[in-house]
Amino acid sequence: GGSEGPSRSLEVAESPSAQLLTSAEFFEGQGLPLEPAFESDGKFYGWVEEETCLRYGIAGDPDTAWNKNGGGKFTFKIKKSDIPSHLRSRGWSDARAFSATQMKKNPNAYFYRHVAPHESQAQGEWTQEETALFLDTANKFGVGDKWGLFSSYVPRRVGYQCSAYYRELIEEGRIVDPRFRLTRAGKAVFVGR
């Protein structure tokens, strides 16, 4: 008789989603309390910060802003001809250069990549004051999308910085958003609804 070799157990690989935990599951597994400052439904219900609207002549609502500034059908596709040559020469991506033209028509696109013209963009760690403003804005208007509009309430920060910081706050348990799960290492992963 021949040797049958070592017995092999069939290992069933966990699906990636089985390794993702809700905030409650993650923090319970860490033996930590989950006491978020805010529970989000993933939506921002506000518009551009009022003083910014007044200072730069931005309409008071999205339909008026869009229609008073050329209207048309929305598209994510950017044509080179839509980007002024003085912006193309700055070395910016097409998206950043085009968004620079959108403050009055599509302020969400503008503020996602740009601060208000009178501000310089902050870099690095968020201050306690910025965190307080972020959480206050979330409590007043919701949070989780329309990052450009949201960021108009946090001076010197742009939308993509607010979006990244949102994930940090989820990872710290300061915000709970059911559209996110946490890896066993504590990294926030968007899974949708």
Side-chain angles (χ1 to χ4, degrees), residues 102-125:
Q102 297 296 298
M103 185 180 2
K104 290 186 179 182
K105 182 175 183 176
N106 184 354
N108 188 49
Y110 176 87
F111 289 109
Y112 187 77
R113 291 182 172 85
H114 304 275
V115 292
H118 69 281
E119 298 174 349
S120 59
Q121 186 176 338
Q123 301 291 331
E125 295 296 315

Side-chain angles (χ1 to χ4, degrees), residues 66 71-80 82 95 98-99 102 105-106 109 113:
W66 185 264
K73 185 177 182 216
F74 177 80
T75 178
F76 285 105
K77 187 162 179 63
I78 298 169
K79 295 183 289 194
K80 296 266 188 210
D82 290 338
F98 179 72
S99 68
Q102 297 296 298
K105 182 175 183 176
N106 184 354
R113 291 182 172 85

Side-chain angles (χ1 to χ4, degrees), residues 127-158:
T127 66
Q128 289 181 339
E129 293 80 15
E130 288 173 321
T131 299
L133 261 176
F134 187 104
L135 293 171
D136 184 54
T137 302
N139 277 304
K140 284 182 184 170
F141 301 107
V143 64
D145 67 353
K146 300 180 189 142
W147 289 110
L149 301 178
F150 183 92
S151 72
S152 72
Y153 290 83
V154 185
R156 303 186 63 225
R157 296 291 183 172
V158 297

Side-chain angles (χ1 to χ4, degrees), residues 6-135:
S7 81
R8 296 181 187 211
S9 64
L10 182 63
E11 291 186 42
V12 178
E14 281 188 63
S15 71
S17 63
Q19 298 170 8
L20 297 176
L21 307 169
T22 66
S23 292
E25 292 166 338
F26 176 80
F27 284 94
E28 183 180 311
Q30 299 293 313
L32 299 170
L34 177 61
E35 297 169 358
F38 186 76
E39 293 192 33
S40 176
D41 68 357
K43 300 280 184 206
F44 177 72
Y45 296 97
W47 181 237
V48 178
E49 189 273 329
E50 187 175 2
E51 290 298 316
T52 303
C53 283
L54 294 172
R55 184 174 195 156
Y56 294 104
I58 299 170
D61 67 89
D63 290 336
T64 304
W66 185 264
N67 293 322
K68 279 181 67 177
N69 293 285
K73 185 177 182 216
F74 177 80
T75 178
F76 285 105
K77 187 162 179 63
I78 298 169
K79 295 183 289 194
K80 296 266 188 210
S81 61
D82 290 338
I83 304 169
S85 60
H86 74 281
L87 295 176
R88 280 195 302 242
S89 65
R90 289 191 177 183
W92 289 349
S93 68
D94 287 351
R96 182 158 194 218
F98 179 72
S99 68
T101 69
Q102 297 296 298
M103 185 180 2
K104 290 186 179 182
K105 182 175 183 176
N106 184 354
N108 188 49
Y110 176 87
F111 289 109
Y112 187 77
R113 291 182 172 85
H114 304 275
V115 292
H118 69 281
E119 298 174 349
S120 59
Q121 186 176 338
Q123 301 291 331
E125 295 296 315
W126 284 59
T127 66
Q128 289 181 339
E129 293 80 15
E130 288 173 321
T131 299
L133 261 176
F134 187 104
L135 293 171

Side-chain angles (χ1 to χ4, degrees), residues 168-181:
E168 287 182 36
L169 293 173
I170 290 170
E171 291 166 0
E172 293 171 6
R174 295 177 74 183
I175 290 181
V176 171
D177 182 334
R179 303 170 312 146
F180 284 83
R181 296 291 182 270

